[in-house]
Amino acid sequence: HVFVDYFSSDCLQEPRVFNPSGSLRITVVDCGIKYNQIRCLAERGACVTVVPWDHPLDSKDYDGLFISNGPGDPLLCKATINNMRKVVCVDHPKPVFGICLGHQLLSLVIGSKTFKMKYGNRGHNQPCIHKGTGRCYITSQNHGFAVDPDSLPADWDVLFTNANDHTNEGIVHNTKPLF
Ligand SMILES: NC(=O)CC[C@H](N)C(=O)O
């Protein structure tokens, strides 16, 4: 019920399609999304269907599934986690990608752990290092929880790490299109 209080008033109540003439079909789970994320997908030619946070997920409906940002403790998002598990924890999943809360939810779906940070990261110019290339990306952030990279299951790897506080900024599966 806490989760309902968080999300129900600000999120979409029913699915809504943006850029219907787009080719790739992206389903976006709205846990508190910003329009810029929808614009970024639409600008790249996607037909974007935004669905409410508790919408049942069926991989036949999309070519890729995007999980949005959102407020609060990811552990409270039980309905979204359970819906995601059905399309993530399979042998041949279609691509699933999350940012912010979506990244935290994907981590919980695969059995990884999240924790409350002492201060959180709230502001811009947070340097994130891409594992493999060592390239640094400057990001803007607003979060109080983080993923524990030591809790990642086998077959998963760290994708980005914060160069300031060394918190996890991204994960990726070694063979499946999940990140
Ligand atoms: N930016 C976000 O999506 C916030 C993520 C999460 N709710 C946190 O505070 O850690």
Side-chain angles (χ1 to χ4, degrees):
H1 291 295
V2 175
F3 186 75
V4 171
D5 287 346
Y6 277 160
F7 293 152
S8 55
S9 57
D10 291 332
C11 295
L12 282 184
Q13 305 296 313
E14 55 189 48
R16 185 168 156 197
V17 179
F18 296 80
N19 194 32
S21 59
S23 50
L24 270 183
R25 297 169 307 150
I26 305 291
T27 289
V28 170
V29 179
D30 175 11
C31 301
I33 197 168
K34 293 174 274 193
Y35 274 111
N36 189 44
Q37 295 163 17
I38 301 169
R39 275 197 297 273
C40 286
L41 294 168
E43 273 169 18
R44 287 164 175 79
C47 168
V48 180
T49 303
V50 182
V51 301
W53 58 274
D54 58 349
H55 193 77
L57 299 172
D58 182 342
S59 60
K60 287 198 282 295
D61 294 341
Y62 58 77
D63 301 307
L65 177 67
F66 173 73
I67 316 296
S68 82
N69 66 298
D73 185 343
L75 277 171
L76 297 175
C77 308
K78 299 270 185 248
T80 314
I81 290 169
N82 289 334
N83 289 342
M84 287 173 67
R85 189 171 287 123
K86 291 182 188 123
V87 295
V88 168
C89 301
V90 296
D91 282 343
H92 299 286
K94 285 188 179 170
V96 179
F97 54 117
I99 64 167
C100 308
L101 180 73
H103 157 241
Q104 298 167 346
L105 294 182
L106 180 61
S107 302
L108 292 173
V109 164
I110 62 170
S112 202
K113 291 194 166 57
T114 55
F115 63 94
K116 185 160 172 39
M117 302 164 78
K118 187 166 182 192
Y119 300 112
N121 282 322
R122 307 195 184 278
H124 59 180
N125 293 353
Q126 287 289 336
C128 296
I129 308 291
H130 177 234
K131 187 173 172 183
T133 63
R135 181 171 168 186
C136 179
Y137 292 82
I138 301 298
T139 66
S140 72
Q141 303 193 5
N142 184 14
H143 67 110
F145 294 83
V147 173
D148 174 7
D150 294 331
S151 67
L152 282 179
D155 295 335
W156 284 81
D157 204 355
V158 165
L159 188 58
F160 290 98
T161 301
N162 188 306
N164 286 340
D165 64 9
H166 307 293
T167 51
N168 179 257
E169 302 283 11
I171 60 170
V172 63
H173 193 277
N174 289 338
T175 54
K176 298 176 183 177
L178 306 169
F179 55 97

